[in-house]
Amino acid sequence: MFRRRTGINFMNNSPLKLFSGSSNIELAKEIAGYLGTELSGIELKRFKDGEISVKLKDNVRAHDVFIIQSTCNPSNDHIMELLLMIDAAVRASASRITAVIPYFGYARQDRKVEPRVPISAKVVSNIIQVTGADRVLTMDLHADQIQGFFDIPVDNLYASPIAIDYLKSLSLENVVVVSPDAGGVDRARFLAKKLNSSLAIIDKRRPEANVVDIMNVIGEVKGKNCILIDDIVDTAGSITKAAFALKERGANDVYCLFSHAVLSDNAVDNLRRAEFKEIIFTNSIPLPDHKKLRNMQILSIAPLFGEAIRRIHNGESVSSLFI
């Protein structure tokens, strides 16, 4: 089923080449800076009918190639760019190709929730493999089982270490970490343990996509500084309602912490209305200036990905980065 490549020599001493699609150039430059190198040349063009044209401008024969591309909005265009870059590297005889996907789009469509619908995350996984990627490096997958959709190595990093360092620098007292739903309890429990704080859970009902009804708050939040933690914030409806629920139950300051700032539709207005003390997230998805608020703190994941790329290239363990 998957693209067979012959004569490939996976040697740790193969020269490293770093390419970036158009989804997150600034992050790619930061990663290159961490590695003490520069992004390799690439030519991305569009024909009049919207078709995408890709050309790798540097030689990649027998090189260890890393292609950085978040598949964020417009996700279909960025996925297509990624696939064409992978194919170009395959046809140019790259030794190994790693798709570096800080934000993995379609991850929320990871199972059949009703009849006659696709498992879109599986479809995206398939086409990345079929095109010729040898490995995937990503962060905070919405569903861990997506790793099993691949038959190639997948390294799923976590932004938690970066977030924990920042939160500790705030020297907050009387803290409770809050999961906005039951599915995020493990993530919230891990953070609570690292911050030596208590844990609370929002009991909510989702009647349809992007619609949330808050049912209850499980745990003590009165008089406490709350850290709401999630992996993806899209329209921000869920996390905003959670913040209101915490305030109604006597919470002091409410902080919002998440990995991927999708922030579509009226998300920024929702976040503004919630009056968070701080809105903390990573740069896995670039945020345009018109969506930035004064209380936003954007944490760079470049050192995390740069170190992972260095270790993968050198054949070293990356397991310590998962903690």
Side-chain angles (χ1 to χ4, degrees):
M1 177 181 179
F2 301 114
R3 188 167 185 165
R4 183 178 298 277
R5 300 174 63 195
T6 59
I8 303 301
N9 183 15
F10 293 97
M11 296 181 63
N12 294 338
N13 60 356
S14 298
L16 183 148
K17 286 286 186 180
L18 203 62
F19 292 90
S20 175
S22 65
S23 69
N24 203 334
I25 294 290
E26 291 306 313
L27 173 59
K29 288 180 179 178
E30 286 187 45
I31 293 172
Y34 178 91
L35 293 168
T37 186
E38 295 182 354
L39 294 174
S40 295
I42 188 168
E43 186 177 284
L44 295 169
K45 296 190 300 185
R46 284 186 177 276
F47 294 108
K48 295 294 184 181
D49 63 354
E51 288 185 4
I52 298 169
S53 171
V54 167
K55 180 180 180 181
L56 307 183
K57 300 176 75 173
D58 289 4
N59 175 40
V60 298
R61 181 178 293 274
H63 284 60
D64 194 8
V65 172
F66 293 82
I67 300 172
I68 303 169
Q69 180 82 322
S70 282
T71 52
C72 50
N73 186 38
S75 57
N76 295 336
D77 286 358
H78 291 148
I79 289 171
M80 196 64 190
E81 275 186 19
L82 174 62
L83 298 175
L84 295 178
M85 287 187 287
I86 292 171
D87 185 73
V90 169
R91 296 178 187 278
S93 301
S95 174
R96 179 176 63 179
I97 302 165
T98 301
V100 181
I101 311 174
Y103 170 69
F104 191 95
Y106 285 92
R108 286 172 285 179
Q109 301 183 55
D110 61 303
R111 62 194 184 281
K112 286 190 70 173
V113 295
E114 58 183 318
R116 298 178 298 281
V117 298
I119 303 178
S120 304
K122 173 63 173 170
V123 174
V124 174
S125 303
N126 283 348
I127 58 178
I128 289 173
Q129 292 179 104
V130 169
T131 306
D134 299 297
R135 190 182 194 102
V136 170
L137 175 62
T138 187
M139 184 186 77
D140 281 333
L141 281 171
H142 182 68
D144 287 338
Q145 68 262 26
I146 292 174
Q147 295 177 75
F149 293 171
F150 289 91
D151 291 319
I152 56 177
V154 176
D155 294 306
N156 181 30
L157 304 176
Y158 298 96
S160 299
I162 295 172
I164 289 167
D165 286 345
Y166 177 74
L167 290 170
K168 285 183 176 179
S169 73
L170 298 178
S171 300
L172 299 177
E173 297 181 353
N174 205 18
V175 173
V176 58
V177 176
V178 184
S179 172
D181 52 42
V185 170
D186 286 346
R187 184 184 304 110
R189 184 182 291 114
F190 174 81
L191 182 64
K193 181 179 179 181
K194 292 296 182 181
L195 297 178
N196 194 27
S197 70
S198 56
L199 176 69
I201 305 167
I202 302 289
D203 177 24
K204 72 180 183 182
R205 180 174 62 89
R206 189 181 292 275
E208 58 184 279
N210 297 127
V211 177
V212 170
D213 292 330
I214 301 295
M215 308 296 288
N216 195 13
V217 177
I218 304 170
E220 182 58 51
V221 299
K222 186 175 181 180
K224 293 181 178 288
N225 293 312
C226 297
I227 301 174
L228 265 169
I229 179 172
D230 211 344
D231 60 335
I232 298 172
V233 170
D234 188 349
T235 63
S238 176
I239 208 157
T240 296
K241 288 184 178 180
F244 289 151
L246 294 173
K247 287 285 189 178
E248 289 171 0
R249 287 159 177 80
N252 188 15
D253 289 330
V254 180
Y255 293 76
C256 177
L257 171 66
F258 52 96
S259 299
H260 306 299
V262 176
L263 301 187
S264 58
D265 199 23
N266 60 340
V268 175
D269 291 335
N270 286 335
L271 291 173
R272 185 184 291 110
R273 287 191 301 108
E275 297 183 348
F276 288 108
K277 181 70 173 179
E278 276 195 26
I279 302 165
I280 308 160
F281 54 92
T282 79
N283 59 345
S284 64
I285 298 174
L287 188 69
D289 289 340
H290 71 274
K291 289 188 176 183
K292 293 179 179 178
L293 301 176
R294 285 182 296 177
N295 61 338
M296 285 180 171
Q297 180 66 41
I298 304 175
L299 307 178
S300 178
I301 54 175
L304 180 65
F305 274 87
E307 183 61 21
I309 289 171
R310 186 193 69 79
R311 295 188 185 190
I312 290 170
H313 176 65
N314 291 336
E316 300 173 6
S317 172
V318 297
S319 60
S320 64
L321 299 179
F322 300 150
I323 300 174

